[in-house]
Amino acid sequence: MSKVSRKIIKESIENVWHPCSRMDQYNDQNLIAIESGNKSWLRSVDGREYFDAISSWWVNLFGHNNPYLKKNITTQLNKIEHVMLSGMTHQPVIDLSKRLNALANMDHCFYSSDGSSAVEVALKVSYHYWRNRGQKKTKFVLIENSYHGETLGALSVTNVDIFSKNYHSLLNKNIILPNPSPKNYESEKKLKEFALESFKKAEVILNKHHKKIAGLIIEPILQCASGMNYYHPIYLKKLKALCSKLDIHLIADEIAVGFGRTGKMFACQHANIKPDIMCLSKGLSGGYLPLAATLVSKKIYQEFLNPDVEKNFLHSHSFTGNPLACSAAIATLDYFDNRLSMDKVNEKSRLFNQIMMKLGKYNIRNFFNIGMVWRFDLPETNESMNFESLAREEGLLIRPIGRCVYIMPPYTSTLSDIKFVVKVLEKIFKKLQMDIK
Ligand SMILES: Cc1ncc(COP(=O)(O)O)c(C=O)c1O
């Protein structure tokens, strides 16, 4: 390692509080100083190349340093970088809202800067809607093992102990439904049976408590942060129908899965449902700038059009609807329209899967692919920390979740990139003697 790199890492450890990190364990072996990015690759200060197999925490869709996205942001930068969105408006936020509303079949967009804030907005809007109608609905429903963010409201609808346990006494007590995703993936038939069984249990709980429930929040089709757990879309379809019947808002958290990650523009489309509220972030800006949006149905929006100030939604963030971030999001949607359509993304996913399938012969469990996500579990004997560092040594950036290793590459990745990923994984499997089933 070069002197420069060592100095940067030392200064970072001394001054920066890194997110979701064990600061006590950082050293110059496990913190990488990044200098630049190009397509699906990151380059360290030392000139080492890393394949970004996690799309920089699932945000990047079309590669780093993409000229198309940069151009739109730069054009906007030459006009206005930021202006508040209360009492003022601007073309980028209007254009983006029109396109998002049309794409998601929703009515109005409320903006914030990160996924957790989009979830906070969704929870507050849902609660406030019922309040405006004179109904006291103070509970939310979440799914076992779900993840919806780190702020206190979002954490109170998150069910991943490592993130929420420490803060239990600060969190609202909400209602948890059993997970529709089985521990082991067998057949499509088994996945469907499991989802239907889970739905029956959900039905009992929701029927019992619906009067006090404002909304149900769910990661459509794939629970990402708890280990890329897939569940059958029938669950979502039935849940939406039940929520509509019981006057419960269905809040679709598409923050991780939206913008094509699961092979549809929005994962709700697998179940052909229209949620009442939808949260978007991450891929929304192509991963270029912090941006989130909470989209609501017309019925919800109209409940806030009231001469009584208390019945209006007075929530705000300083950077709400930032023009630069909106221009990145518009460029992202343009990129889907002009360069890489969902059909093309899916074509690539099928090609990549043919290469990824090679991994099936190793001693791994629950290998699964949907859209641009591949996941498998390491056998119990294998340490995921070790796996992560072995991959880094080979220039592959991954971040296993427990024993789940996943690959979530930028959509612009090439066949040779994916061959590289498989080659590295095979090398590690052999090193860890996982080639023996
Ligand atoms: C489904 C889901 N919801 C919410 C969030 C929170 O988003 P952010 O990290 O931008 O606050 C995440 C982040 O990974 C997520 O995966």
Side-chain angles (χ1 to χ4, degrees):
M1 181 180 293
S2 70
K3 261 189 181 167
V4 184
S5 181
R6 208 166 268 138
K7 182 170 176 282
I8 294 175
I9 291 168
K10 183 172 177 286
E11 284 181 353
S12 192
I13 295 170
E14 281 171 3
N15 294 283
V16 182
W17 199 337
H18 290 263
C20 200
S21 294
R22 295 250 345 227
M23 290 302 295
D24 64 324
Q25 292 190 349
Y26 272 142
N27 56 48
D28 57 16
Q29 296 306 307
N30 57 19
L31 195 60
I32 307 171
I34 296 296
E35 188 168 71
S36 60
N38 186 30
K39 301 187 173 145
S40 299
W41 293 79
L42 296 166
R43 195 182 170 86
S44 77
V45 171
D46 278 340
R48 280 208 68 185
E49 304 264 358
Y50 295 90
F51 180 74
D52 187 0
I54 42 177
S55 295
S56 290
W57 253 345
W58 323 340
V59 301
N60 193 296
L61 303 186
F62 304 125
H64 299 280
N65 230 329
N66 182 316
Y68 196 96
L69 273 82
K70 276 199 307 191
K71 187 166 171 254
N72 231 33
I73 300 167
T74 317
T75 307
Q76 183 55 42
L77 189 58
N78 288 328
K79 294 182 187 163
I80 176 83
E81 72 300 326
H82 184 65
V83 63
M84 68 178 180
L85 199 61
S86 184
M88 290 184 207
T89 193
H90 51 80
Q91 205 59 47
V93 81
I94 299 167
D95 291 346
L96 179 61
S97 307
K98 278 164 81 174
R99 288 178 73 172
L100 288 178
N101 287 328
L103 203 58
N105 189 17
M106 301 297 277
D107 195 64
H108 269 75
C109 299
F110 193 100
Y111 291 95
S112 49
S113 315
D114 54 72
S116 303
S117 304
V119 169
E120 296 292 333
V121 170
L123 300 177
K124 282 178 71 178
V125 162
S126 173
Y127 164 80
H128 200 161
Y129 169 92
W130 297 113
R131 188 181 154 85
N132 280 356
R133 290 171 69 100
Q135 282 175 264
K136 195 162 179 262
K137 282 172 169 267
T138 55
K139 294 281 174 206
F140 286 95
V141 177
L142 57 134
I143 313 294
E144 190 183 357
N145 297 338
S146 58
Y147 179 85
H148 296 288
E150 299 294 339
T151 49
L152 291 179
L155 212 50
S156 76
V157 288
T158 285
N159 181 235
V160 184
D161 264 1
I162 184 116
F163 303 124
S164 53
K165 201 170 152 200
N166 275 335
Y167 311 100
H168 264 172
S169 44
L170 297 180
L171 307 178
N172 288 335
K173 284 217 165 13
N174 286 312
I175 298 165
I176 305 173
L177 300 183
N179 201 323
S181 171
K183 287 225 159 37
N184 293 308
Y185 298 169
E186 289 168 39
S187 57
E188 165 86 5
K189 187 168 166 264
K190 283 261 160 67
L191 279 167
K192 192 170 179 182
E193 281 168 11
F194 193 85
L196 288 170
E197 271 170 39
S198 304
F199 175 73
K200 271 192 199 151
K201 293 178 196 159
E203 205 171 19
V204 174
I205 299 171
L206 295 179
N207 276 326
K208 185 167 173 206
H209 299 290
H210 69 97
K211 286 209 176 95
K212 56 184 178 194
I213 299 170
L216 180 156
I217 185 160
I218 189 162
E219 292 163 271
I221 305 300
L222 197 67
Q223 292 185 321
C224 293
S226 60
M228 303 294 156
N229 304 315
Y230 171 78
Y231 60 86
H232 197 281
I234 189 91
Y235 181 79
L236 194 55
K237 196 167 183 65
K238 286 194 159 277
L239 208 56
K240 171 61 190 141
L242 183 63
C243 284
S244 300
K245 190 175 124 198
L246 298 177
D247 271 349
I248 297 171
H249 292 142
L250 189 113
I251 305 169
D253 179 348
E254 294 257 6
I255 289 162
V257 290
F259 299 100
R261 195 43 86 177
T262 66
K264 304 256 186 204
M265 186 53 86
F266 300 112
C268 280
Q269 291 166 349
H270 287 282
N272 215 356
I273 61 147
K274 173 174 149 54
D276 302 291
I277 304 178
M278 185 188 270
C279 302
L280 300 173
S281 189
K282 293 194 185 270
L284 168 60
S285 67
Y288 274 66
L289 287 161
L291 183 67
T294 307
L295 278 56
V296 301
S297 67
K298 191 170 190 162
K299 190 171 171 196
I300 292 182
Y301 175 72
Q302 285 185 334
E303 199 56 49
F304 290 83
L305 297 176
N306 199 295
D308 179 353
V309 64
E310 280 191 15
K311 292 197 168 171
N312 284 259
F313 191 56
L314 301 186
H315 186 102
S316 69
H317 296 283
S318 310
F319 284 99
T320 299
N322 173 261
L324 288 177
C326 288
S327 73
I330 291 167
T332 301
L333 296 179
D334 286 346
Y335 206 91
F336 274 115
D337 287 348
N338 305 327
R339 300 282 172 108
L340 195 61
S341 65
M342 270 319 300
D343 283 348
K344 283 190 184 149
V345 173
N346 286 333
E347 215 172 281
K348 279 186 141 198
S349 151
R350 280 190 289 276
L351 271 178
F352 292 176
N353 199 37
Q354 284 169 13
I355 313 283
M356 291 282 198
M357 294 268 276
K358 276 179 84 178
L359 302 176
K361 68 176 188 234
Y362 293 93
N363 187 18
I364 55 174
R365 319 256 187 279
N366 296 323
F367 175 86
F368 186 78
N369 161 240
I370 185 163
M372 278 289 182
V373 184
W374 286 263
R375 56 99 62 222
F376 59 83
D377 292 323
L378 295 172
E380 262 147 54
T381 42
N382 285 98
E383 258 276 345
S384 60
M385 288 289 276
N386 187 21
F387 201 91
E388 181 177 351
S389 53
L390 287 172
R392 278 189 180 203
E393 276 169 27
E394 298 295 331
L396 174 66
L397 267 192
I398 53 169
R399 247 181 105 90
I401 303 168
R403 283 188 297 113
C404 163
V405 174
Y406 67 89
I407 304 295
M408 231 174 169
Y411 306 165
T412 40
S413 300
T414 63
L415 208 53
S416 80
D417 289 338
I418 300 305
K419 283 182 183 161
F420 168 82
V421 171
V422 169
K423 203 171 105 196
V424 171
L425 291 175
E426 287 192 290
K427 193 169 173 185
I428 304 173
F429 290 160
K430 283 181 187 145
K431 209 176 232 176
L432 299 177
Q433 300 194 322
M434 284 170 58
D435 46 343
I436 308 152
K437 271 214 185 188

